[in-house]
Every structure is written in structure tokens, then in C-alpha cells.
Amino acid sequence: MVLIGILPHRQLYEHVEGRTIVLVGGMFPLGLAMEKSGAAGLVSSLIADTLGTLGPHMTMIGITLIALLLPDPARGSRSGDYDPGGLDTAALLGIEPKALAVAVMVGAAATYLLPEGHPAPLMVQSPGSYETRDYLKFRAGLVAITLTIVAVLVPLMWPF
């Protein structure tokens, strides 16, 4: 919008909060740093050690919830192609990796519970005078539906 002259630079800086810029700017570097530093492997081990004891179904739901709650920078990119522990956890537990990969992708695509989960809600939060509780109130049902769909359909399509 700035490039084609719809929105002047001054208005952009007045209305876009700094945390939105940090969120967008930190997406890829943080994910890359986690991968290169070995932190991603540590996350996988932690998930396997804690959720793995609950069985494959609960592990899958837990991984979906983790991916759903992580803000974009922690996942590494907007497209959800950084897998926060899904494939490595599947390998550690001997579970079908496709099931956990799909669970992560669905969770990463459903980061609408909190405004920090995606840049778009952050950009409208201040101008719309929204608070975090507004997001929680109106989006908790969507999260419940998403988790239910993952819990039912993913094991049917990719059995453990």
C-alpha cells in the first residue's frame, strides 16, 4: 500500500506497532537459528520425553497445540515449513511421521488464538482497541474445533 501510494509512510509508522515489525522480521532468522544451534532437536527430545509417555494420539494433539500456540518467529516462517519437533519426535517415538507432520502444519496454520500468533491481528489490535481477551473469547471455539478435527481425521488418514 505504501509502494503504490495508498498509505503515506508517516501513517504506516504511526499505526503499525513495533512488536508487529519484530514479529515479521524475526520469523525466518529465529527458526534458522533454532535449527542450526540444535535447539530444534532439543525441543523434539523434550516433546518425546514428556508427551511421548501419553501415547501417539495425545502426542499428536499436544504437538498440534504447541504449533498452534507458538508465534510465527518460533516456527521460523509464515508458511509453517519449520517443523517444531514433529518429524524428529515421530522418529524418536517410532510413530508415523506423516501424522505428526500434518498435525504440525494444521497447528501452524491455526495460530489465531492469540494476536501474537500472526502479524495481521497485531496490525489491527491497536487501531481496533482490541485486547488479548477479545481474541481468546472469540477464537477459543475455533481452536477446539481445529483440535477435534486433527484428533479424529489425522489418525484415520495416517494411522500410527
Side-chain angles (χ1 to χ4, degrees):
M1 289 174 38
V2 172
L3 290 176
I4 60 175
I6 295 174
L7 182 69
H9 285 90
R10 187 172 311 212
Q11 278 188 333
L12 177 70
Y13 291 120
E14 287 174 6
H15 295 293
V16 176
E17 292 186 22
R19 65 184 180 157
T20 304
I21 295 167
V22 170
L23 179 70
V24 172
M27 287 178 192
F28 192 73
L30 182 60
L32 191 60
M34 286 183 68
E35 194 66 42
K36 290 193 178 227
S37 70
L42 185 62
V43 168
S44 298
S45 296
L46 185 63
I47 291 171
D49 290 345
T50 55
L51 295 177
T53 61
L54 302 174
H57 204 172
M58 289 306 293
T59 301
M60 180 195 62
I61 293 169
I63 275 194
T64 305
L65 192 58
I66 290 168
L68 190 141
L69 293 174
L70 286 177
D72 281 341
R75 282 193 313 275
S77 80
R78 278 274 315 109
S79 64
D81 60 355
Y82 172 70
D83 174 7
L87 296 176
D88 291 339
T89 302
L92 290 170
L93 297 174
I95 300 173
E96 170 60 47
K98 289 178 189 172
L100 292 188
V102 169
V104 168
M105 286 187 281
V106 170
T111 58
Y112 38 70
L113 181 63
L114 299 172
E116 292 80 14
H118 190 276
L122 280 178
M123 290 175 22
V124 299
Q125 186 175 18
S126 181
S129 300
Y130 298 120
E131 295 181 20
T132 300
R133 67 184 166 150
D134 296 325
Y135 291 94
L136 292 170
K137 182 172 35 174
F138 291 108
R139 296 175 174 184
L142 290 173
V143 170
I145 291 168
T146 301
L147 289 173
T148 302
I149 289 171
V150 168
V152 172
L153 292 182
V154 171
L156 288 175
M157 299 173 95
W158 296 279
F160 300 119

